[in-house]
């Protein structure tokens, strides 16, 4: 092989390797704060006391994960506001060629122990089922913040290291 062909071959392999790494790393994004130039979570408080929470990611990300990240961020905000119950009022997911985004409107509540028990009893029977959460299905109802956050924690990828661990775990299941 001539020197010129060898250089072209090395360059081609380098380009393919870089493209492969970029494509694979874009499939699962770590859970992080967003900005206008990249995906991640964002939130804004409305005049009526509700909060809009959103999460955006690559269109290669799983629909379920983007929805889970959005609701997980809502649980963090609820805890910051010392709320123990969260009402999901509306939720929608949109996708385009450049990103997939979920938008969620929530209201945070602080209830007494008896009220919290009622919420837990109802949600455990329906919306907190593992197969429901794993599919990113959340209903317009009340959720016990601590319970929901604990159940969603296993789906949260916080760093590139976690991406590798999650990918390895999903390979073992298949």
């Amino acid at each position: 092989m001539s020197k010129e062909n060898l250089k072209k071959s090395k360059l081609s392999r380098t380009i393919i390797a870089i493209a492969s790494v970029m494509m694979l790393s874009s499939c699962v994004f770590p859970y992080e704060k967003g900005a206008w130039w990249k995906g991640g979570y964002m939130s804004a408080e409305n005049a009526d006391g509700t909060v809009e929470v959103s999460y955006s990611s690559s269109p290669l990300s799983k629909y379920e994960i983007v929805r889970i990240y959005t609701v997980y961020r809502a649980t963090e905000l609820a805890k910051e506001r010392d709320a123990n119950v969260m009402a999901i009022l509306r939720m929608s997911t949109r996708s385009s060629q450049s990103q997939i985004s979920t938008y969620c409107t929530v209201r945070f509540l602080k209830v007494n122990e008896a009220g919290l028990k009622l919420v837990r009893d109802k949600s455990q029977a329906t919306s907190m089922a593992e197969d429901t959460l794993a599919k990113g299905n959340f209903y317009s109802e009340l959720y016990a913040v601590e319970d929901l956050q604990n159940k969603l924690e296993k789906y949260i990828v916080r760093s590139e290291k976690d991406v590798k661990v999650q990918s390895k775990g999903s390979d073992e299941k298949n």
Side-chain angles (χ1 to χ4, degrees), residues 43-55:
S43 62
E45 192 147 349
N46 297 323
D48 65 358
T50 60
V51 177
E52 297 289 332
V53 183
S54 66
Y55 196 91

Side-chain angles (χ1 to χ4, degrees), residues 19-169:
S20 298
V21 168
M22 289 175 64
M23 191 169 174
L24 288 173
S25 67
S26 68
C27 293
V28 179
F29 281 99
Y31 176 78
E32 60 189 357
K33 185 174 183 174
W36 65 269
W37 69 88
K38 66 175 186 155
Y41 62 77
M42 299 177 92
S43 62
E45 192 147 349
N46 297 323
D48 65 358
T50 60
V51 177
E52 297 289 332
V53 183
S54 66
Y55 196 91
S56 298
S57 190
S58 158
L60 299 175
S61 295
K62 288 184 174 182
Y63 165 91
E64 299 87 358
I65 291 298
V66 176
R67 291 176 65 92
I68 287 168
Y69 281 14
T70 304
V71 173
Y72 187 81
R73 177 60 183 155
T75 65
E76 290 179 328
L77 293 170
K79 283 184 159 184
E80 287 173 13
R81 290 167 170 79
D82 200 31
N84 57 359
V85 171
M86 179 177 80
I88 294 180
L89 305 175
R90 285 180 297 283
M91 191 168 197
S92 64
T93 302
R94 299 180 194 129
S95 62
S96 68
Q97 290 180 339
S98 61
Q99 69 181 11
I100 181 170
S101 301
T102 294
Y103 305 90
C104 184
T105 305
V106 294
R107 184 176 305 278
F108 303 127
L109 308 163
K110 178 73 172 171
V111 300
N112 63 24
E113 284 300 315
L116 186 57
K117 183 179 181 337
L118 287 172
V119 169
R120 282 185 168 136
D121 289 347
K122 183 181 182 309
S123 65
Q124 291 297 334
T126 56
S127 56
M128 293 286 283
E130 195 62 42
D131 60 328
T132 301
L133 296 178
K135 293 176 185 170
N137 293 330
F138 300 94
Y139 302 103
S140 296
E141 64 178 63
L142 298 174
Y143 292 87
V145 171
E146 187 75 31
D147 298 349
L148 183 57
Q149 189 175 54
N150 289 340
K151 287 211 172 217
L152 296 179
E153 183 67 39
K154 70 179 170 186
Y155 300 104
I156 304 302
V157 174
R158 298 191 186 281
S159 68
E160 291 301 319
K161 179 182 168 190
D162 290 343
V163 170
K164 292 174 187 159
V165 169
Q166 188 180 49
S167 296
K168 184 178 177 185

